Amino acid sequence: GAVVSQHPSRVICKSGTSVKIECRSLDFQATTMFWYRQFPKQSLMLMATSNEGSKATYEQGVEKDKFLINHASLTLSTLTVTSAHPEDSSFYICSARGLRGAQETQYFGPGTRLLVL
Amino acid sequence: QKEVEQNSGPLSVPEGAIASLNCTYSDRVSQSFFWYRQYSGKSPELIMSIYSNGDKEDGRFTAQLNKASQYVSLLIRDSQPSDSATYLCAALATNAGKSTFGDGTTLTVKP
């Protein structure tokens, strides 16, 4: 079954609105969560890394005021795309890393497809 | 030089053959290694993890790790058309807090 869930799976919104995406690790505590986005036929692009209770670390070129990340607990991280515009349309994927069993591992959520009209 | 390098492919093998995917990494502090499979339009799915030198087998998949050579591979036996996907290699260095991914190798298994 799923180890990391992501909600919503798909969202269509008007330009200028904000969209919140939730990522949950279901059966392990995620000490670190990552947010990626991926355009068609391109590689994953890491947007930011967050540790529980700390501010997220953003990759170069990613606007922290536009992509708000909150990692309030060891099982939940949220990404809010503020004032979304058509160029923000993409496939957003979270990933959770932590100890599952005895070993550290990293799983991806199923992704959220965002379309901004 | 990228921290994790994979042949971009595409790699094409006939159905029933062995597909061999290779990955090298540059950071010696990497401790854990993962292979993910990503189908077009879907998110990556973890298929193998390996933490110590040697081979690890799971069904038709075998991961091989050689830390001295900084090399990780994934063998897929009896390849099926459903194995056609992009395979991502990842290296994780716990103490450094880094997870580094290769750009992926696209595999096509032809019926």
Side-chain angles (χ1 to χ4, degrees):
Chain A
V3 179
V4 177
S5 70
Q6 203 172 327
H7 178 80
S9 59
R10 184 181 297 268
V11 60
I12 301 173
C13 68
K14 291 182 179 179
S15 186
T17 59
S18 293
V19 175
K20 181 188 264 190
I21 303 169
E22 283 190 356
C23 177
R24 293 181 185 272
S25 58
L26 299 179
D27 66 357
F28 70 103
Q29 294 184 324
T31 49
T32 307
M33 283 194 173
F34 307 88
W35 287 94
Y36 296 85
R37 71 177 174 183
Q38 189 173 39
F39 295 104
K41 298 191 186 300
Q42 293 189 21
S43 302
L44 291 172
M45 189 191 84
L46 178 64
M47 299 175 67
T49 302
S50 74
N51 294 297
E52 184 260 342
S54 302
K55 287 185 177 180
T57 301
Y58 290 80
E59 295 299 302
Q60 193 172 11
V62 178
E63 300 173 58
K64 62 179 181 182
D65 294 330
K66 181 167 184 65
F67 299 100
L68 302 178
I69 292 170
N70 184 283
H71 189 170
S73 77
L74 286 171
T75 59
L76 174 64
S77 178
T78 60
L79 167 68
T80 301
V81 183
T82 62
S83 186
H85 290 284
E87 58 266 29
D88 298 323
S89 299
S90 188
F91 189 38
Y92 291 86
I93 311 171
C94 73
S95 184
R97 190 177 86 192
L99 281 176
R100 189 166 183 256
Q103 299 283 9
E104 186 161 24
T105 191
Q106 184 169 340
Y107 290 89
F108 285 87
T112 297
R113 207 164 292 282
L114 171 64
L115 177 61
V116 185
L117 302 176
Chain B
Q1 182 190 5
K2 290 185 178 178
E3 292 186 44
V4 175
E5 297 232 31
Q6 295 181 249
N7 292 331
S8 60
L11 174 66
S12 181
V13 300
E15 184 174 357
I18 295 175
S20 177
L21 303 162
N22 304 314
C23 173
T24 56
Y25 62 95
S26 60
D27 193 346
R28 287 195 173 273
V29 301
S30 297
Q31 299 154 311
S32 308
F33 304 88
F34 307 102
W35 283 100
Y36 296 86
R37 177 177 62 199
Q38 186 175 23
Y39 292 115
S40 181
K42 301 291 186 182
S43 72
E45 172 192 9
L46 180 65
I47 54 172
M48 286 290 282
S49 55
I50 188 165
Y51 304 93
S52 54
N53 282 326
D55 294 0
K56 180 181 177 183
E57 188 174 316
D58 183 0
R60 295 186 296 112
F61 299 99
T62 298
Q64 299 173 318
L65 173 60
N66 184 325
K67 290 188 178 181
S69 302
Q70 295 176 243
Y71 175 88
V72 191
S73 67
L74 179 70
L75 299 177
I76 307 174
R77 290 182 300 281
D78 187 24
S79 296
Q80 301 296 309
S82 58
D83 294 327
S84 298
T86 296
Y87 289 80
L88 301 169
C89 170
L92 191 161
T94 304
N95 293 339
K98 287 173 59 178
S99 296
T100 308
F101 286 79
D103 288 336
T105 298
T106 300
L107 171 67
T108 301
V109 180
K110 295 187 174 180

